[in-house]
Amino acid sequence: MNLKRVSPLLERESETVKLDLAPEPWNIIKCVETGIVFLENPPGYEALNEDFAWEKTYETEVKKRKTAEPLRYKISSLLKEFRLKVLKRNKVKELAKQQILNIKNSEQIQLLDVGCADGKALEIIISELPKKFHNKCVPNGIEISAALANEAQQKAKRGTWIHNNAVDGMLEFQDDYFDLVILSSFLEHEIEPLKLLKNTYGKLKSNGKVIIKVPNFDSWNRHLRKEKWCGFRHPDHVNYFTPATLKATALKSGFSKFKMKLSDRQPLSDSMYAVLTLSLIHISEPTRLGMISYAVFCLK
């Protein structure tokens, strides 16, 4: 059964406009008040767990793109392989290593990968750090796909690996626990992104950070390619963030520091990156809403 969503940033009904960017029966709409774009009628968590599990939809999407635009798909795949294997560019991995290296005076460094798949990503990051960090860093994960969560649990030699949706799975950890949480190519899948970030906020240590990677709905390629943009995945991508709406979501969830350099949101890239830091000072709701309005204004 499909859900009927309201604005994920306001968490209430608001004026919206429909965007002709998705095939039937999916409806992509834009909240007029905040500018956030989202899928109005996604499948629920149970369907995401089974029918629309990432390992299933990914293969379907690959086959579709190969068939529809074989030459474009081939070129895109070669460029991606060149970046990863030749240039060895993986921005999330580099951001994570940078944040870990900045952690001081900690006997254990607790890391969390939300949407961890088979659990390999954090172990690869840890292996590329100086040796003194290898035993200090403890990888943990949350994964909604039953098959992938089971694989991560079977392979894990340490840490906690949870099979659950991210919003509820985050609550299974104790408060003030994590030094670093990674949401890489995940927040676009989350039906309740604001709630997830609020739950994440409570699980971070005082100097904790969150790394986010999401598709950039404001990229030039999205405007050029329209409904054929590579950032669309129907129906498991349920949010489409711009730099402004991502910052607004982070601020409303409690994070006071939102770091996104120009190189993290370049219009030629289909992805964008941000690092969030929690606030140790309580921010009232009126003040927070003012910060959100300012963030949207600055990034327009």
Side-chain angles (χ1 to χ4, degrees):
M1 181 178 178
N2 291 350
L3 304 176
K4 175 74 172 179
R5 295 176 79 202
V6 297
S7 169
L9 182 50
L10 297 175
E11 296 184 307
R12 59 170 170 79
E13 290 187 1
S14 62
E15 182 184 354
T16 61
V17 292
K18 183 177 179 180
L19 306 179
D20 295 325
L21 295 171
E24 294 293 339
W26 314 114
N27 298 322
I28 293 180
I29 61 177
K30 179 178 181 179
C31 172
V32 175
E33 189 172 339
T34 64
I36 195 165
V37 176
F38 59 100
L39 184 64
E40 182 184 31
N41 58 335
Y45 280 131
E46 184 176 346
L48 287 173
N49 183 17
E50 299 299 337
D51 301 333
F52 299 104
W54 180 87
E55 69 272 21
K56 297 178 182 178
T57 60
Y58 177 77
E59 292 299 327
T60 302
E61 190 68 20
V62 166
K63 290 178 182 177
K64 183 178 77 174
R65 293 182 183 183
K66 276 184 178 179
T67 303
E69 298 178 292
L71 180 59
R72 185 181 184 86
Y73 179 83
K74 181 67 175 178
I75 294 171
S76 177
S77 298
L78 288 173
L79 287 173
K80 183 177 180 180
E81 186 175 359
F82 179 74
R83 287 196 303 269
L84 292 176
K85 294 185 177 180
V86 179
L87 298 180
K88 299 187 182 300
R89 286 176 55 191
N90 183 320
K91 192 157 187 173
V92 169
K93 184 169 66 173
E94 295 309 312
L95 283 171
K97 290 193 291 186
Q98 179 184 348
Q99 296 302 325
I100 294 169
L101 291 172
N102 288 335
I103 297 172
K104 310 296 182 185
N105 303 320
S106 181
E107 292 184 5
Q108 274 199 339
I109 298 174
Q110 294 291 343
L111 312 174
L112 175 64
D113 186 5
V114 181
C116 64
D118 60 6
K120 292 179 181 177
L122 284 180
E123 289 289 9
I124 291 173
I125 290 171
I126 294 170
S127 71
E128 295 182 7
L129 292 167
K131 286 187 177 180
K132 67 178 182 179
F133 286 91
H134 289 186
N135 291 327
K136 289 175 64 174
C137 290
V138 181
N140 303 273
I142 302 173
E143 175 56 52
I144 193 172
S145 165
L148 290 174
N150 182 64
E151 187 175 351
Q153 290 167 350
Q154 294 298 319
K155 292 180 178 179
K157 298 177 181 179
R158 51 187 175 158
T160 301
W161 303 86
I162 291 174
H163 170 222
N164 205 339
N165 68 73
V167 172
D168 295 331
M170 191 68 69
L171 297 179
E172 296 189 39
F173 293 97
Q174 66 189 58
D175 291 347
D176 305 315
Y177 189 67
F178 292 112
D179 295 276
L180 180 65
V181 174
I182 297 176
L183 293 164
S184 177
S185 301
F186 185 84
L187 211 57
E188 65 269 28
H189 296 269
E190 177 51 55
I191 292 170
E192 299 181 281
L194 190 60
K195 190 172 182 179
L196 172 59
L197 287 178
K198 286 178 178 178
N199 288 355
T200 303
Y201 181 100
K203 305 304 174 181
L204 287 171
K205 296 178 184 178
S206 60
N207 59 344
K209 301 285 195 300
V210 177
I211 294 173
I212 294 177
K213 174 190 176 184
V214 289
N216 182 4
F217 188 77
D218 208 26
S219 70
W220 289 354
N221 193 36
R222 202 280 302 172
H223 291 286
L224 177 67
R225 298 280 291 164
K226 299 180 180 176
E227 71 277 1
K228 293 183 179 180
W229 180 50
C230 60
F232 289 124
R233 283 267 301 274
H234 311 299
D236 50 325
H237 281 192
V238 300
N239 307 300
Y240 295 97
F241 295 100
T242 64
T245 57
L246 181 61
K247 184 170 186 176
T249 304
L251 291 178
K252 189 171 183 181
S253 62
F255 292 89
S256 63
K257 293 183 180 179
F258 179 94
K259 184 178 180 181
M260 178 185 277
K261 298 182 291 186
L262 287 175
S263 60
D264 296 331
R265 57 183 178 97
Q266 56 177 306
L268 290 175
S269 175
D270 291 309
S271 298
M272 59 182 176
Y273 307 81
V275 178
L276 316 185
T277 304
L278 62 80
S279 170
L280 299 181
I281 303 172
H282 174 72
I283 302 173
S284 67
E285 188 64 17
T287 302
R288 186 176 295 153
L289 290 174
M291 293 168 65
I292 292 168
S293 299
Y294 181 71
V296 173
F297 172 78
C298 289
L299 284 168
K300 280 184 177 178

